[in-house]
Amino acid sequence: MLKKWFIGASRALVLLSVLLWIMLQTHLLYPAFPLQGIDKKTAWNQGMLSGDSTTVLLSDEKNTWYISRLNSQQNGQRIISMLEEQGWNYKEQEGSGYFFTKGDRTLIATTQRWGSRFELTKIPSN
C-alpha cells in the first residue's frame, strides 16, 4: 500500500515539475504583453539582455518602445538624458509621464510597469 502511494506521489511530482518547466520556458506565468507586434517571450528575453540600460523593443511610425529592468528612478534619469541629447528640454514629471519641450513643441514620454521586473517606455516619434 505504501509503495503504491509513493509511486503515485512520485509520478504526480514529476508531472508537476514538467508542467512548471514548460510554463517557465514559454513564459505562461508572465502577464499579457501590452504591445502588438512582439511576443512576450521575445520582450522578456530583450529585457533580461538589456542589463542596466534601456533597449529599443519596438519602433513604428508613431512611437518607439523601450524596455528596461525595473528601477524607476534610474529609468527616469535615462529617459531624461536620452531625450536631452536629442535637443529636448526636460520640463516635469507627472505620474508616469515625462514632459519635454523643444521650441513650441511638447513631447510626453510615458512609462508602464510590465510584470515584476520590467518597465516599458513609450516615446512618440518626432
Side-chain angles (χ1 to χ4, degrees):
M1 179 70 174
L2 187 59
K3 187 176 181 179
K4 285 184 179 181
W5 181 85
F6 181 74
I7 290 172
S10 297
R11 287 181 182 167
L13 186 59
V14 168
L15 180 62
L16 285 173
S17 298
V18 168
L19 287 174
L20 181 60
W21 181 82
I22 289 170
M23 290 173 73
L24 290 173
Q25 292 302 311
T26 58
H27 302 279
L28 289 174
L29 297 177
Y30 230 72
F33 194 64
L35 304 177
Q36 299 291 329
I38 189 168
D39 64 291
K40 64 183 174 180
K41 184 174 182 177
T42 303
W44 189 88
N45 288 335
Q46 284 186 326
M48 291 303 288
L49 293 173
S50 70
D52 289 335
S53 64
T54 301
T55 303
V56 174
L57 186 60
L58 187 65
S59 188
D60 59 25
E61 309 84 41
K62 295 180 181 179
N63 303 300
T64 301
W65 287 86
Y66 296 86
I67 190 167
S68 54
R69 291 203 184 162
L70 193 60
N71 184 336
S72 295
Q73 188 175 16
Q74 285 182 356
N75 290 341
Q77 280 303 118
R78 286 188 199 116
I79 294 166
I80 292 168
S81 298
M82 182 171 52
L83 289 171
E84 283 181 339
E85 287 174 8
Q86 297 175 15
W88 290 93
N89 298 312
Y90 174 66
K91 186 177 176 187
E92 65 182 331
Q93 177 189 0
E94 285 188 28
S96 64
Y98 293 84
F99 292 77
F100 297 85
T101 59
K102 185 192 274 188
D104 61 345
R105 299 185 316 175
T106 300
L107 180 139
I108 304 170
T110 56
T111 61
Q112 71 181 75
R113 187 174 176 167
W114 179 53
S116 61
R117 294 187 183 184
F118 303 109
E119 186 171 77
L120 303 173
T121 303
K122 178 179 84 169
I123 299 178
S125 300
N126 295 337

